[in-house]
Amino acid sequence: MSSVIVTNRADEDVDFEDEVTDNTDVTDETDLTEVDKKSKRKKIKGRGFRESGAVDSRYDGRSGKFDSYQDGKQAGPNQKSVEGWIVFATGIHEEAQEDDVYDLFAEYGEVKQLQLNLDRRTGYVKGYALIEYEKYSEAEDAVKALNGTELLERKISVSFAFKKRGKK
């Protein structure tokens, strides 16, 4: 080892020695595996490697079988989102206000949430809206009644936002 002695302004000697450390690798060690040379055993670093034969205990007893939900009425090809039934309306007039859209869709049931996105550059409505209903029957009534109607002298198209996938 080499040693360097530096004198600072307070006339104190500071000794900087070359330190050799075992961990000179700068990579992230959370997912590395190493082989211990003495015992020829594989060391595993990171999460989830405490017991090599451990089965994931989150699904004990249920074997990965999850509950499904059914609304009182069959949804057909439509898919429910996490919180409710989402209806997608396109062709919304650029000068429409949130109240205009809300009043139109509230006639068919309680609207849980309404998203009416604006264009950043112009500040006008982008031309579509997402409307969320709690019940499938309310959303279905709104889709059937409002598809093809006019809002502020523009014809709007209304459909469900999510569709079920076909079975593969």
Side-chain angles (χ1 to χ4, degrees):
M1 285 192 192
S2 64
S3 180
V4 177
I5 297 177
V6 177
T7 306
N8 61 12
R9 291 185 184 183
D11 294 330
E12 296 176 10
D13 290 342
V14 180
D15 189 13
F16 293 103
E17 290 188 12
D18 291 340
E19 295 181 15
V20 178
T21 60
D22 294 332
N23 186 9
T24 58
D25 190 7
V26 292
T27 61
D28 186 15
E29 294 184 16
T30 56
D31 295 327
L32 298 178
T33 59
E34 297 175 358
V35 177
D36 190 3
K37 293 179 183 175
K38 292 178 184 175
S39 65
K40 300 289 183 186
R41 230 178 75 203
K42 195 175 192 181
K43 284 186 180 180
I44 300 174
K45 295 181 181 180
R47 291 206 263 170
F49 296 111
R50 288 185 184 95
E51 297 175 25
S52 61
V55 178
D56 195 355
S57 63
R58 291 181 290 179
Y59 305 117
D60 282 348
R62 304 227 19 210
S63 300
K65 295 179 185 173
F66 300 101
D67 292 334
S68 62
Y69 57 87
Q70 285 290 353
D71 200 6
K73 202 172 181 182
Q74 287 295 336
N78 304 316
Q79 178 71 42
K80 183 178 181 180
S81 74
V82 174
E83 295 179 2
W85 295 93
I86 308 284
V87 173
F88 188 65
T90 58
I92 306 288
H93 193 276
E94 64 182 11
E95 293 182 359
Q97 297 293 316
E98 191 171 315
D99 292 339
D100 299 329
V101 178
Y102 183 86
D103 292 341
L104 182 67
F105 283 90
E107 294 176 14
Y108 300 97
E110 182 183 347
V111 175
K112 280 180 61 178
Q113 189 174 3
L114 172 71
Q115 291 287 327
L116 191 64
N117 293 335
L118 303 177
D119 187 2
R120 289 181 189 167
R121 188 171 48 92
T122 63
Y124 291 114
V125 174
K126 284 191 171 183
Y128 66 91
L130 295 160
I131 302 96
E132 182 178 340
Y133 289 98
E134 178 73 34
K135 297 179 185 172
Y136 176 75
S137 58
E138 296 172 347
E140 185 181 38
D141 292 344
V143 169
K144 287 180 180 177
L146 295 176
N147 191 22
T149 61
E150 286 192 2
L151 174 66
L152 299 177
E153 301 176 356
R154 277 191 76 182
K155 185 177 178 181
I156 61 172
S157 298
V158 182
S159 64
F160 280 94
F162 301 112
K163 303 286 183 185
K164 289 182 183 176
R165 287 187 187 177
K167 295 187 179 186
K168 294 180 180 179

